[in-house]
Each structure stands twice: as structure tokens, then as C-alpha cells.
Amino acid sequence: MIAQGTPRRLRFAVMCNTLVLQQWQHDAIESLLSRGEAEPVLLILKQEDLSPKPGLLRRIVRYPWRKLLFRKYYQYFFRPGSFRAVSADEQLGGLPRIRCKTALKGKYSEYFSPEDIDTIRSHRPDFILKFGFGIIRGEILESASYGIWSFHHGDEQKYRGIPPAFYEILHHDNKTGTILQRLTGTLDGGIILRKGYFPTINHSWSANLDQAIRLSVHWPADVCHEIVTQHTFPADTQAQMPAAPVFHEPENATLLIFLFRMFYNKLRFHFLEVFTAENWRIGIVRTRAADLLSEVTFSIDGKAVDWLSAGGPDQYYADGFIVKEQSRQLLVFEDYSYRRRKATLSGVWYNERDYSFSAPFTLLNEDWHLSYPFLFRDGNQLWCIPESLQQNSIMLYRYDEATNRFLYNSTLIEGVAAADPTLVLHQHHYYLFFTSGRATNTELQIWHSASLSGPFEPHELNPVKANISNARPAGPFFSVDGKLFRPAQDCSRTYGGRVIINEVKLLTESEFLELPVTSLNPPGGYDGLHTISFSGDYLCFDAKKLVFSPASALWQIRRRLGMVKPHKPTRE
């Protein structure tokens, strides 16, 4: 019996060919069931085709021999983990089921019979999750309140058709897209419910597809959560017909080019991972936030920068945060050592008179890796929320002037792996932004609280964004002319490639909307930039170059030989 005031659970049907699903389909259903906001009510199975098969000679004549290599490669060598066969009998075996035989019209379109549609409607599904059949059209598309939901693993504006996550590698595309859409009568013109962009893994087709699938299987559950909590359906706009060409199975020559390209990419990937390492340095330049917003693309003049660097290939300074403290500029940053494979938080004082830096000093050292020392004031107290991804929690430290150290104060969120946690006080409410540990460069989360001491609760739309180009935080929020702006990392070309500035249009406990307004590029000669902060007339940023680090190369070689043991951090 449902208690009074308890939201009604959504009812959904599953459309598939058999009860043997692929692992990712099983995971998507499991995500729906575990959230408890939707329940399955019907299994829609495709009726087996018992028509006689053509003879051997006819099959040989009609076989697409120009695609032979791809079909055999796909059959015998392509083994993504997401495609592993798994029985859904435990999940769906007890459901009422209907076996439907569709009528083929034209070359591909499948239509359901009116009798089958009536039967499906009699179970009153709110939505149907499609994992089988072909291109379905007709009245079946309106048989559920919220329609039929289907995944397309690819950016529909670039890659329609098949195979998924393949042509991104072939065409050197840095991003691989995925959409969850409500199907319409227009081919590839569904209404988008969720869309995300992920970094293309160009040395492994199976890994690239697995990533795009793994990071999107929870989307049906997220849409259900939005419907239940906000009583709105995200698909309230008209579908747009994509102009992208339709891709098909690659022919033999194309596959050979693809395999060669992937082999080259794999060699290059391992070579660069062993023999190159990121070397970051921190810069300070006289620039105000309004100056940055005055241009569509802002580039830093390297000649006007005061640089702070560690001075060696086995150590770097990154994630610089600057704040005015006792009439001086305090610069706090990640102090990373390739020899120790971890970082502490260090600081320097910046002298505005002669543009010089003091000697570095340690502010915080823990048993685990620390980075992104997010600084903010609350009252008269200076606080720091560093990234403690390995510790699986978000912790708050206070600055102690007497000891010139950060002292542990409290844990804001326990059991959450968070990258680059960034806090903003907006309309008397605290919002904590970060990207999740499962997708550190892609999946943006928001948690919120009425007070700094908590408790913090997840935003109703989490994840509020899944975009390799514009999700991961890149420094503190800032305001110009009463407008709120959020810096975000663009990791589509490389990790920390540049910074995108977004104007926050809407931020409440249940709503979030931001739009990009400008971008910040690294100075000439540098390969990336991924953290910025402002203090008065100064902009603090970091920039990277790729260098050879003996300590990093040795560790990478030892890791490949199985000589590296996993480190388990502990808190004393």
C-alpha cells in the first residue's frame, strides 16, 4: 500500500528481442529498479521469424562481400564488455509478456498491429524502453504517456547510422556523443531527453564504445527522477531533423584503414604515456574578470605574466588559487611530485610591488593526493576545500594564521568521489559543484545546503551536465554587473586544454541552466590551461607543457611490468 503523499512510481515496459540482453541494457534496467521511482509492468518481445531461409547459393550471391572484413572482425574480434550476454530473467521474467510480429513497410520501417498496440496500452505504461526490434513507426510511438525511449551512441548531428563509436576514431573526432531520445515518426529525429559528450578513446574501439555506454546507462533513471520530483518531462520541445549523413558498415578498405589508424594510435598512446608528462606552472597577470568577458576568445599575453614554477621535470605547481590575506596576496596551489606520485598543498606570498614570490611553504599534507585547493571566505574565516578524490569524500579545512597551515574542520560529504569541488553562495544557499569520480572530466554534479555545516543534498537534476567540453570546474565562480559566471574545463582536445566561461542563468535546488559566453586560451607555447581565479586586479592561472620526466617514465614502465602496488590512503 502506498502511503499518502508518496509519489506514484512510473510504469515502464521493455521492448526487446529475447530475455537475453546485453550487459549495458541489463544495467540500465537495474539502474531504474534501484532508484525505486519506476517499476516494470510489461515485456514486449519480438515474435520469432519462422519464414524459410534462402538457400546457400542465394545467400552466397547476396552476401555483401565488400563488407566481409568488418562483419568477421565484428563477429570474432570485437568484444566490448557492454555487449556481454546476460539473462534478464531475474529482472523481468515474472512480468506479463506479449510477443509481437511487426509488418515491414518500405525497406526498414516496422509497424505494430492495432491488436498488439491495444494490449500494450492496457498495461498503462508511462514509457517504453526500447532494446530490440528495428526502426519502428506508426501508432506504437504514442502507446505510452511519455513515449518510447531509445539510445543512440553517437552525436546525431554528426554520425547517424552504424556502427556506434566507430567513425569518431576514423575521422579523428575528439568527442564521442550519446543521446537518449523519445522516438518520433522522423528517422533519427527523436526528441532528445539526455545528451552527453565523452572523450574519444582513439586507440580502442571497444573501450570507446564501452565508455559512451557506461556513462549513459543511468539516463533513463535520471529522466524518471526529473518527472517524479519536478512533475515535468524534459522533452517539451520540437524534434529537430539532424543534417548529418547516414553511415553504414564500413567496406573492406575502410576497415583496413581503421585498423591501421587504431594500431598507430595505440602505439602513440603508450609512447606518450611513458615518455611525456604534464609539467604545469602558475602565472599571475593583471587582468580583471570584466576584461576576460569583453572578448569572445581571450588569450593571455605570456610576456605580461609573472611565472611561478617548480623548476624541474619531476615536479610541478598547478591549480593556483589567489586570495587577499592581511593586505597580501596568498597563492595556494597543488605541489605535485612524480617521484612520490602525490601532491601536497603549498603556498607563496605574492609581492605586488616588485611582482615577486616568496619561498614556497607547505600548507597541508595528507596521506593521500591533494589538489585543487578551492579557497573562499565565510565571515572572517578563510576556508579551503581541496580535491580528495582518493579519500572518497569532500572535506573542509580552515586556515590557521598562527601556524600558517590548513587544519581539518569537517567532512561536508562522505562516500562521494569528487573532482575539483567548487562552492558558491547563491541567494543565501550553498551550492557545491564537482565532477563525479566515475567521469571526472565529463559528469557535473551539484549538491546544496542551507548552511556551510550541511547537510548537503544532491540536486534533483544530477548529473546536471555530461559534456567533456564544458563540465569540470575550473576555479571559483565570479560576478560581473550582477551576473554569475562559472569557469569550466574544456577537455575535448586534451585534459585541461582551455577554460570555458559560462553565465549561470538559473540555479536553484531543483533547476540549473548555464550558457557559454567566452573562452580562455593558454599563452602561446603552452598546451593547456585548466584553473583560474581572480583577486582584485589579478588573474591567477596555470598552464602546462609536455616534457620528459625520468621519474614518471620509470613509474610507467614499472606499472606495465606489474611492479606497482595500489596505494591505500588512510586518515590518521
Side-chain angles (χ1 to χ4, degrees), residues 333-350:
F333 52 89
E334 171 193 352
D335 186 346
Y336 184 82
S337 168
Y338 277 111
R339 296 183 184 278
R340 293 182 289 115
R341 303 299 298 185
K342 67 182 288 288
T344 59
L345 299 186
S346 295
V348 297
W349 295 103
Y350 177 67

Side-chain angles (χ1 to χ4, degrees), residues 86-207:
V86 57
S87 173
D89 191 66
E90 184 176 344
Q91 290 178 320
L92 308 173
L95 294 180
R97 62 186 66 183
I98 175 176
R99 292 191 177 273
C100 301
K101 183 177 181 180
T102 57
L104 187 65
K105 296 182 180 180
K107 194 172 183 180
Y108 301 109
S109 300
E110 298 182 25
Y111 288 79
F112 282 68
S113 70
E115 294 78 15
D116 287 341
I117 293 174
D118 288 341
T119 302
I120 292 170
R121 282 177 170 162
S122 70
H123 288 81
R124 296 180 292 108
D126 290 296
F127 66 94
I128 299 172
L129 199 56
K130 180 181 179 293
F131 290 140
F133 292 77
I135 299 173
I136 58 175
R137 285 184 167 156
E139 195 176 352
I140 185 66
L141 299 176
E142 305 300 326
S143 59
S145 306
Y146 297 112
I148 297 178
W149 301 357
S150 176
F151 281 93
H152 173 68
H153 298 108
D155 182 356
E156 86 289 355
Q157 296 299 325
K158 291 183 178 181
Y159 306 101
R160 298 160 61 202
I162 57 173
F166 176 94
Y167 286 99
E168 290 86 345
I169 298 174
L170 184 67
H171 295 163
H172 304 287
D173 197 326
N174 292 324
K175 297 186 294 184
T176 297
T178 294
I179 63 171
L180 175 67
Q181 60 183 333
R182 175 180 178 172
L183 297 179
T184 66
T186 303
L187 181 62
D188 296 323
I191 300 173
I192 295 176
L193 308 179
R194 287 289 188 274
K195 184 172 184 176
Y197 293 97
F198 313 105
T200 298
I201 303 175
N202 64 9
H203 59 274
S204 172
W205 179 23
S206 60

Side-chain angles (χ1 to χ4, degrees), residues 39-305:
E39 58 179 339
V41 295
L42 179 65
L43 187 61
I44 305 170
L45 294 170
K46 190 168 188 177
Q47 185 171 312
E48 186 179 358
D49 185 6
L50 300 178
S51 59
K53 305 295 181 182
L56 176 61
L57 180 60
R58 192 169 187 179
R59 293 201 304 270
I60 292 175
V61 171
R62 297 175 61 182
Y63 190 85
W65 294 101
R66 291 183 301 175
K67 301 176 181 179
L68 172 67
L69 292 182
F70 173 78
R71 294 200 171 187
K72 296 308 174 185
Y73 177 84
Y74 191 88
Q75 180 179 1
Y76 295 110
F77 299 101
F78 187 57
R79 291 289 184 271
S82 300
F83 282 12
R84 184 173 68 88
V86 57
S87 173
D89 191 66
E90 184 176 344
Q91 290 178 320
L92 308 173
L95 294 180
R97 62 186 66 183
I98 175 176
R99 292 191 177 273
C100 301
K101 183 177 181 180
T102 57
L104 187 65
K105 296 182 180 180
K107 194 172 183 180
Y108 301 109
S109 300
E110 298 182 25
Y111 288 79
F112 282 68
S113 70
E115 294 78 15
D116 287 341
I117 293 174
D118 288 341
T119 302
I120 292 170
R121 282 177 170 162
S122 70
H123 288 81
R124 296 180 292 108
D126 290 296
F127 66 94
I128 299 172
L129 199 56
K130 180 181 179 293
F131 290 140
F133 292 77
I135 299 173
I136 58 175
R137 285 184 167 156
E139 195 176 352
I140 185 66
L141 299 176
E142 305 300 326
S143 59
S145 306
Y146 297 112
I148 297 178
W149 301 357
S150 176
F151 281 93
H152 173 68
H153 298 108
D155 182 356
E156 86 289 355
Q157 296 299 325
K158 291 183 178 181
Y159 306 101
R160 298 160 61 202
I162 57 173
F166 176 94
Y167 286 99
E168 290 86 345
I169 298 174
L170 184 67
H171 295 163
H172 304 287
D173 197 326
N174 292 324
K175 297 186 294 184
T176 297
T178 294
I179 63 171
L180 175 67
Q181 60 183 333
R182 175 180 178 172
L183 297 179
T184 66
T186 303
L187 181 62
D188 296 323
I191 300 173
I192 295 176
L193 308 179
R194 287 289 188 274
K195 184 172 184 176
Y197 293 97
F198 313 105
T200 298
I201 303 175
N202 64 9
H203 59 274
S204 172
W205 179 23
S206 60
N208 193 43
L209 180 57
D210 273 337
Q211 173 187 245
I213 290 174
R214 174 176 54 86
L215 296 178
S216 60
V217 292
H218 56 87
W219 286 355
D222 292 341
V223 175
C224 286
H225 180 70
E226 183 175 347
I227 294 172
V228 169
T229 58
Q230 299 200 28
H231 309 291
T232 60
F233 187 48
D236 56 359
T237 58
Q238 294 294 320
Q240 295 184 355
M241 180 61 186
V246 178
F247 289 89
H248 303 280
E249 293 175 331
E251 297 185 353
N252 297 332
T254 303
L255 180 69
L256 291 175
I257 294 172
F258 173 82
L259 293 176
F260 174 80
R261 184 159 294 163
M262 198 162 56
F263 177 72
Y264 169 80
N265 290 340
K266 186 176 289 289
L267 290 179
R268 185 175 184 272
F269 169 78
H270 288 291
F271 177 86
L272 292 177
E273 193 172 50
V274 172
F275 294 106
T276 65
E278 293 182 349
N279 189 268
W280 293 85
R281 62 192 308 203
I282 294 172
I284 293 180
V285 64
R286 292 184 70 92
T287 298
R288 300 182 70 88
D291 300 330
L292 192 153
L293 296 172
S294 64
E295 301 182 25
V296 176
T297 299
F298 189 92
S299 295
I300 297 173
D301 181 5
K303 297 178 181 179
V305 176

Side-chain angles (χ1 to χ4, degrees), residues 214-480:
R214 174 176 54 86
L215 296 178
S216 60
V217 292
H218 56 87
W219 286 355
D222 292 341
V223 175
C224 286
H225 180 70
E226 183 175 347
I227 294 172
V228 169
T229 58
Q230 299 200 28
H231 309 291
T232 60
F233 187 48
D236 56 359
T237 58
Q238 294 294 320
Q240 295 184 355
M241 180 61 186
V246 178
F247 289 89
H248 303 280
E249 293 175 331
E251 297 185 353
N252 297 332
T254 303
L255 180 69
L256 291 175
I257 294 172
F258 173 82
L259 293 176
F260 174 80
R261 184 159 294 163
M262 198 162 56
F263 177 72
Y264 169 80
N265 290 340
K266 186 176 289 289
L267 290 179
R268 185 175 184 272
F269 169 78
H270 288 291
F271 177 86
L272 292 177
E273 193 172 50
V274 172
F275 294 106
T276 65
E278 293 182 349
N279 189 268
W280 293 85
R281 62 192 308 203
I282 294 172
I284 293 180
V285 64
R286 292 184 70 92
T287 298
R288 300 182 70 88
D291 300 330
L292 192 153
L293 296 172
S294 64
E295 301 182 25
V296 176
T297 299
F298 189 92
S299 295
I300 297 173
D301 181 5
K303 297 178 181 179
V305 176
D306 297 322
W307 291 104
L308 173 68
S309 58
D314 292 336
Q315 183 182 12
Y316 65 69
Y317 297 157
D319 289 340
F321 285 78
I322 190 170
V323 64
K324 196 87 166 182
E325 178 68 15
Q326 298 295 329
S327 302
R328 296 185 293 175
Q329 297 287 357
L330 173 63
L331 175 59
V332 183
F333 52 89
E334 171 193 352
D335 186 346
Y336 184 82
S337 168
Y338 277 111
R339 296 183 184 278
R340 293 182 289 115
R341 303 299 298 185
K342 67 182 288 288
T344 59
L345 299 186
S346 295
V348 297
W349 295 103
Y350 177 67
N351 191 325
E352 300 179 47
R353 293 182 178 180
D354 59 7
Y355 312 111
S356 63
F357 300 97
S358 72
F361 48 86
T362 300
L363 284 162
L364 181 62
N365 185 15
E366 298 280 20
D367 187 47
W368 55 89
H369 174 79
L370 295 166
S371 61
Y372 197 81
F374 176 78
L375 298 179
F376 68 100
R377 290 191 181 280
D378 196 74
N380 295 323
Q381 180 65 54
L382 180 62
W383 301 92
C384 179
I385 305 177
E387 179 190 299
S388 300
L389 190 65
Q390 295 175 347
Q391 197 65 5
N392 210 37
S393 60
I394 302 176
M395 291 175 283
L396 176 66
Y397 295 79
R398 65 177 179 85
Y399 175 64
D400 182 61
E401 186 178 347
T403 60
N404 200 29
R405 303 276 292 191
F406 287 126
L407 304 180
Y408 172 78
N409 182 80
S410 62
T411 298
L412 299 180
I413 304 176
E414 186 73 51
V416 172
D420 299 345
T422 303
L423 188 73
V424 62
L425 179 61
H426 180 63
Q427 295 179 347
H428 310 291
H429 205 79
Y430 290 92
Y431 295 90
L432 187 56
F433 287 66
F434 57 87
T435 46
S436 65
R438 67 183 177 187
T440 54
N441 293 334
T442 305
E443 196 174 84
L444 183 63
Q445 301 262 347
I446 303 175
W447 287 54
H448 59 87
S449 173
S451 70
L452 182 59
S453 58
F456 281 81
E457 299 178 353
H459 196 278
E460 289 184 2
L461 297 182
N462 276 345
V464 297
K465 179 182 288 189
N467 191 339
I468 185 66
S469 302
N470 192 3
R472 185 167 180 166
F477 287 70
F478 59 89
S479 296
V480 175

Side-chain angles (χ1 to χ4, degrees), residues 517-532:
V517 292
T518 189
S519 61
L520 178 63
N521 292 328
Y526 287 86
D527 302 307
L529 179 155
H530 75 350
T531 307
I532 67 171

